[in-house]
Amino acid sequence: MKDHQQKEEEPTWASLSPREKVLAAFGMTGLGLGIAAVVAIVVLTGVFLVALLSRNLIESEGVAPLFWGALLCLPCGLLAGIFVYPLRLAARLLPLSAAVKRSVEMVLSAGTTFLAVLFVEYFTPGLHVRHPWLPALLATLVVALANVVIKRLESRKQQQRDGAA
């Protein structure tokens, strides 16, 4: 009876053979590269969309600055997050209702995105923007719209799972 009740334990890294370790390492590397490629494609698509919609405001010395802009999105986002973090911390520490905290988090998230895009516009070599706040506002709205669409798709999937169960 105990044999049936015991579940098979997952193997540990130490219990794997050298061949299995190599295969696992290649598999995880491939998974990581695949995820990085999808993220890069999404960021590039966003950069190209904002550049296309703001083409009267953005002057680029070719296509290379747009790739540089996409590459700089992560470090500039981290830099913007550092500047906004004290405000996030203050909002979390204040005794606010859950709805107000959620609203403040949304506003701070939009502010972080806006600031990150301003940094990308400033630090990207070969990119000249006349009114930098307009493309930054457009990029912030695109990210917010993407978040709304993702949230709606997730809730729809959850409703389908609940209905099927």
Side-chain angles (χ1 to χ4, degrees):
M1 191 89 175
K2 289 183 180 179
D3 294 333
H4 294 291
Q5 290 177 350
Q6 288 180 347
K7 295 182 181 178
E8 289 185 27
E9 293 183 26
E10 291 188 26
T12 62
W13 185 257
S15 69
L16 295 177
S17 69
R19 180 180 176 272
E20 290 171 329
K21 288 180 181 178
V22 169
L23 288 174
F26 275 119
M28 294 306 289
T29 302
L31 179 65
L33 290 175
I35 290 171
V38 168
V39 169
I41 288 171
V42 169
V43 170
L44 270 173
T45 303
V47 168
F48 285 134
L49 177 67
V50 170
L52 178 69
L53 294 174
S54 305
R55 64 182 170 269
N56 295 334
L57 301 172
I58 297 175
E59 296 173 9
S60 175
E61 298 172 0
V63 181
L66 298 178
F67 285 100
W68 271 109
L71 185 66
L72 289 173
C73 280
L74 179 63
C76 289
L78 292 173
L79 182 62
I82 290 171
F83 284 115
V84 176
Y85 186 74
L87 296 173
R88 277 188 201 273
L89 188 60
R92 289 179 185 159
L93 293 176
L94 290 175
L96 303 171
S97 68
V100 172
K101 280 188 179 184
R102 191 172 59 244
S103 298
V104 168
E105 279 292 325
M106 288 173 25
V107 168
L108 289 175
S109 178
T112 304
T113 303
F114 183 80
L115 188 59
V117 174
L118 286 176
F119 287 153
V120 168
E121 291 172 354
Y122 180 75
F123 291 125
T124 302
L127 191 68
H128 309 285
V129 183
R130 271 188 278 173
H131 301 287
W133 65 273
L134 286 171
L137 181 62
L138 177 64
T140 303
L141 292 174
V142 167
V143 169
L145 179 65
N147 286 336
V148 167
V149 168
I150 290 170
K151 185 110 172 151
R152 186 156 302 195
L153 290 174
E154 286 177 351
S155 67
R156 195 176 287 171
K157 281 184 181 180
Q158 185 64 30
Q159 288 175 354
Q160 287 176 351
R161 278 189 227 140
D162 292 343

